[in-house]
Amino acid sequence: MNLQNLIALKKTELIATLLVFVLILSAVLSSRLIRLTSGSALYFEEETEVHFDELGDVDALFSILTLKEIEVDEAELQWAANILGWKRFQRGRYVFKGAYSYNDFLSRMTKGIQDPSNVVILPGSTPKRFSEVVSNKFYFNEEELLQVFTDSAFLAEKGFTTEHLFGRMLPETYLMYWTTTPKNFVNRVLREFEASISEEEMNRAEELGYSIDEILTLASIVEWEAKIPEEKARISGLYWNRIDRGMRLQADPTVNYALGERRRLLFEDYEIDHPFNTYQNRGLPPGPITNPSLSTIKATLYPEDHDYLYMVANPEGGHVFTRTFDEHRAESEKWRIWLREQYRIKSQLEEEEAEDSEAS
């Protein structure tokens, strides 16, 4: 084979190789371009949350997706981010489910288009428990939220004590963004409280001769006592009857609040020297002991009309209401007998379980 033929052969092979390379490259680019514009480049079978505590990049995003077991090609993700220009992701919470194009997926986080969370505030809570539960829905932690309730500057600005501020943490479901600050969160709930208390209810408080803070204080005691919603207005009426007669409220929840824990009270607990102890102090305590619901606030404003002055718990989770102290003592003795029997049964079961465990 002469040199000219050899060169021609080499040229043909080179052209063929180049053509194959171009075809492969075109196929890869075409495939990527199709995926770039495809509405199903990424698929989330279940609702998936992506959080960025701070400004994030593609490497951080890939790590998050990997941890959540989302199938994604790292090189392709980097390529798509570079081509589209969506490479820096804003702090926030983003929720994905179903199919997404790279553009839709990446652009949302780059633009910081967050998904709000449902934040549920429950009634009858304490600042610590409240902060613990609520902080799970935000980037801030429990301690940061707790600090708001003791921030002297913030309290002075609002004109509240810690108790009066917390009493306004109206139980409701709120839509809020993960990046909301602790103070903005509290301010949002305060606005909801102000919007929920109507002029009619404000007038009713005035008619009763009490401020809205005093109504909230009594409502907080009713909230703690009432395990059965239907009893709220009756319990409220009982406390109003005691107030009208100049009697001490003698509300067990105020003693629990003074002790700083919820448990069955001992005789000596009622002697605790504390401004919130309504066994030792007449009238309402200095502020709410918990955050009452709107229904409890209304039950406090519109109590049931009756002559009850005493109540004691019953096995069904409610109360037995009585008019005289002698009746109250009789019902209280029934309750104590029932409790002793429950403790006896519990102790017997524990002994039997221990014996069975030793025998096995």
Side-chain angles (χ1 to χ4, degrees), residues 90-240:
Q90 301 298 314
R91 190 164 60 95
R93 169 185 176 270
Y94 307 93
V95 180
F96 300 97
K97 184 177 182 181
Y100 293 84
S101 68
Y102 279 121
N103 187 62
D104 289 342
F105 176 64
L106 298 171
S107 65
R108 272 184 57 193
M109 295 178 288
T110 301
K111 293 175 181 178
I113 303 173
Q114 295 187 64
D115 293 279
S117 297
N118 281 324
V119 183
V120 179
I121 294 180
L122 297 174
S125 190
T126 63
K128 180 170 174 55
R129 178 60 179 157
F130 170 86
S131 299
E132 182 182 306
V133 172
V134 165
S135 61
N136 289 327
K137 294 290 186 176
F138 297 96
Y139 84 94
F140 55 72
N141 59 39
E142 174 188 342
E143 289 72 25
E144 289 171 317
L145 181 54
L146 267 174
Q147 285 173 7
V148 176
F149 294 103
T150 56
D151 184 331
S152 57
F154 184 73
L155 291 171
E157 175 193 333
K158 300 297 179 184
F160 299 139
T161 63
T162 292
E163 289 81 13
H164 286 121
L165 175 60
F166 187 69
R168 285 169 164 77
M169 294 296 100
L170 189 68
E172 187 56 86
T173 299
Y174 299 83
L175 271 179
M176 294 195 198
Y177 291 112
W178 187 69
T179 49
T180 300
T181 66
K183 283 185 180 178
N184 284 344
F185 165 74
V186 171
N187 280 324
R188 166 74 176 81
V189 180
L190 283 176
R191 289 195 298 274
E192 185 67 25
F193 173 83
E194 290 165 4
S196 298
I197 303 299
S198 68
E199 186 176 349
E200 177 188 339
E201 285 149 1
M202 294 294 286
N203 291 338
R204 173 61 177 167
E206 188 176 337
E207 179 185 319
L208 292 169
Y210 289 85
S211 69
I212 195 65
D213 283 323
E214 290 170 321
I215 295 298
L216 279 177
T217 297
L218 185 55
S220 72
I221 298 173
V222 175
E223 184 69 60
W224 197 319
E225 288 276 23
K227 303 298 185 291
I228 299 174
E230 291 74 23
E231 285 191 353
K232 288 180 179 181
R234 181 166 294 184
I235 293 172
S236 165
L238 183 151
Y239 283 129
W240 281 119

Side-chain angles (χ1 to χ4, degrees), residues 52 105 116 165 171 175 186 197 208 244 264 277 318 339 347 351:
F52 285 105
F105 176 64
L165 175 60
L175 271 179
V186 171
I197 303 299
L208 292 169
D244 290 343
R264 189 182 175 208
N277 182 358
L339 280 178
S347 178
E351 287 178 7

Side-chain angles (χ1 to χ4, degrees), residues 228-275:
I228 299 174
E230 291 74 23
E231 285 191 353
K232 288 180 179 181
R234 181 166 294 184
I235 293 172
S236 165
L238 183 151
Y239 283 129
W240 281 119
N241 287 344
R242 295 183 73 89
I243 290 171
D244 290 343
R245 287 163 175 75
M247 299 171 68
R248 290 185 176 90
L249 288 181
Q250 294 185 326
D252 285 8
T254 63
V255 181
N256 287 115
Y257 183 84
L259 292 169
E261 59 180 321
R262 297 192 182 196
R263 59 169 170 78
R264 189 182 175 208
L265 296 173
L266 307 174
F267 286 115
E268 56 266 30
D269 293 331
Y270 296 101
E271 302 296 325
I272 184 173
D273 183 15
H274 193 283

Side-chain angles (χ1 to χ4, degrees), residues 52-69:
F52 285 105
D53 294 351
E54 54 189 24
L55 193 66
D57 58 18
V58 180
D59 289 335
L61 175 60
F62 179 73
S63 297
I64 293 170
L65 295 176
T66 301
L67 283 173
K68 294 181 178 292
E69 299 182 346

